[in-house]
Amino acid sequence: MRRPAFYSRSPRTLPPAADQAADRAEGLASPEAATPAPDTSAKTGWQPGRKSFALLLVLSAALVTGAVLWAPRPGAKALTQKDIDAAVLRTLQTNTLPSPAAKAADIIRPSVVRVVSYGEEKNTPEAKTQKRGRNLAKGKPPEAPNDGGPAGEVERGVGTGVVIVDKGVILTNLHVVAGSDKIKVTFYDGLEAVATITGVQPENDLAVLQAQKVPDDLIPATMRSTADLRSGDQVAAVGFPFGIGPSVSAGVVSGLKRSFRSPEGKQELGNLIQFDAAANPGNSGGPLVNMDGEVLGIVTAILNPTQQRTFIGIGFAVPIENAAAAAGSPPF
């Protein structure tokens, strides 16, 4: 089968040798070729050939097209800053954007763990009352057998922790795990692991845990210096209040360099961050973060002048500088 001929789209031009041959042939065929032509190059200026003329036409057409396209159309309105502001406002009104606290919570949540401490079951009246309360809270009969932890052990406390190293190093409060026989942590993906205490800082109510198993994609939290923290800055607390969570509450920094004395008067903590984001028993050991999801401190206490240990608007956190020092790695 024959192939169709392929034609070049470029205009055909003769090589210089061919031009000279053509000129010779034309000179032999024409009588006037014997007489040399007068030299008029000095009298005439530059004259464009076909290629130059074609290029000139193309440039002229491009200029005319550009002028037509960019020229203001009759009746067209030029955009003003007011028009742009109105368009942005309409976009904000028709699209629901996440709140700063929601974005911060999304960042820190994969680094937050649930911490549960276990101890030996006691047969004292107080221990029995606590057991009945736990069973009722779980929807079980008051005298149901314990199944919250290992045989012969009961759940003694629930708190929160935050991962600061992807190998399973966790910061929490000392009072959450003090005196426990066994500690379990639950990661964001649901993985449960036994943890051991590797360091403590009693003067700041801090403990460092090491989990024996960690998720493959564990994400450690980012810590942020409190040197530029000011009253009024937005913060969020993430944790497991009363074991429910992870829960998020938002507020602001109420003050800096505060002091707090435990209700029993056994210990006084200093250099604390005061905040008004809701915190309750179970939030202890959890992160206090800024709106970028960076950890500013570890939630450690709430103030209530009554015997009810519930939140009334004043919470305290240990600055992250102290907390990181408890882990042996000051970040700032």
Side-chain angles (χ1 to χ4, degrees), residues 63-157:
L63 290 174
V64 172
T65 303
V68 171
L69 292 176
W70 289 102
R73 299 177 183 178
K77 180 182 176 182
L79 286 177
T80 65
Q81 185 61 45
K82 185 177 180 181
D83 297 328
I84 297 174
D85 293 343
V88 172
L89 180 61
R90 177 176 177 79
T91 302
L92 293 175
Q93 291 175 341
T94 55
N95 293 275
T96 303
L97 301 178
S99 69
K103 292 188 289 185
D106 287 341
I107 295 172
I108 191 62
R109 196 177 284 115
S111 306
V112 177
V113 299
R114 186 174 188 261
V115 181
V116 181
S117 61
Y118 297 95
E120 292 184 1
E121 187 172 10
K122 298 179 182 179
N123 292 323
T124 63
E126 182 181 0
K128 292 180 179 180
T129 301
Q130 292 176 351
K131 179 181 176 181
R132 292 192 188 99
R134 288 193 299 269
N135 287 336
L136 289 173
K138 296 178 181 178
K140 300 177 182 179
E143 300 301 330
N146 169 62
D147 59 357
E153 294 183 344
V154 294
E155 186 179 290
R156 297 184 59 179

Side-chain angles (χ1 to χ4, degrees), residues 1 18-19 24 32 37 45 52 103 107 126 146 155 157 177 188 192 207-209 213 219 246 254 281 293 298:
M1 179 177 179
D19 288 342
R24 293 193 190 96
E32 292 82 7
S52 300
K103 292 188 289 185
I107 295 172
E126 182 181 0
N146 169 62
E155 186 179 290
V177 296
Y188 176 68
E192 288 188 357
V208 182
L209 307 179
K213 292 189 302 181
I219 302 174
S254 304
I298 301 297

Side-chain angles (χ1 to χ4, degrees), residues 29-292:
S30 174
E32 292 82 7
T35 305
D39 185 9
T40 59
S41 59
K43 299 179 181 179
T44 59
W46 175 81
Q47 297 181 356
R50 282 187 299 176
K51 290 184 180 180
S52 300
F53 186 71
L55 178 61
L56 184 61
L57 287 178
V58 171
L59 290 175
S60 300
L63 290 174
V64 172
T65 303
V68 171
L69 292 176
W70 289 102
R73 299 177 183 178
K77 180 182 176 182
L79 286 177
T80 65
Q81 185 61 45
K82 185 177 180 181
D83 297 328
I84 297 174
D85 293 343
V88 172
L89 180 61
R90 177 176 177 79
T91 302
L92 293 175
Q93 291 175 341
T94 55
N95 293 275
T96 303
L97 301 178
S99 69
K103 292 188 289 185
D106 287 341
I107 295 172
I108 191 62
R109 196 177 284 115
S111 306
V112 177
V113 299
R114 186 174 188 261
V115 181
V116 181
S117 61
Y118 297 95
E120 292 184 1
E121 187 172 10
K122 298 179 182 179
N123 292 323
T124 63
E126 182 181 0
K128 292 180 179 180
T129 301
Q130 292 176 351
K131 179 181 176 181
R132 292 192 188 99
R134 288 193 299 269
N135 287 336
L136 289 173
K138 296 178 181 178
K140 300 177 182 179
E143 300 301 330
N146 169 62
D147 59 357
E153 294 183 344
V154 294
E155 186 179 290
R156 297 184 59 179
V158 178
T160 309
V162 57
V163 178
I164 61 170
V165 180
D166 59 4
K167 294 181 180 179
V169 179
I170 300 167
L171 279 176
T172 189
N173 278 149
L174 180 57
H175 74 259
V176 172
V177 296
S180 60
D181 297 320
K182 192 169 189 177
I183 303 168
K184 275 189 175 182
V185 296
T186 304
F187 292 95
Y188 176 68
D189 65 352
L191 175 68
E192 288 188 357
V194 174
T196 56
I197 300 175
T198 58
V200 296
Q201 196 179 77
E203 64 272 21
N204 288 310
D205 189 26
L206 293 168
V208 182
L209 307 179
Q210 174 63 61
Q212 295 183 5
K213 292 189 302 181
V214 298
D216 293 334
D217 55 351
L218 183 59
I219 302 174
T222 300
M223 296 177 282
R224 171 66 181 267
S225 171
T226 61
D228 58 350
L229 191 64
R230 298 183 300 172
S231 296
D233 285 347
Q234 291 181 298
V235 290
V238 182
F240 293 83
F242 300 106
I244 303 170
S247 300
V248 182
S249 59
V252 298
V253 173
S254 304
L256 302 169
K257 299 186 182 300
R258 300 296 198 228
S259 297
F260 171 78
R261 182 177 291 276
S262 63
E264 298 82 6
K266 296 180 180 179
Q267 185 179 13
E268 182 173 352
L269 303 175
N271 190 34
L272 300 175
I273 303 169
Q274 180 187 337
F275 62 90
D276 70 351
N280 284 286
N283 276 108
S284 294
L288 183 73
V289 302
N290 59 15
M291 295 300 98
D292 292 323

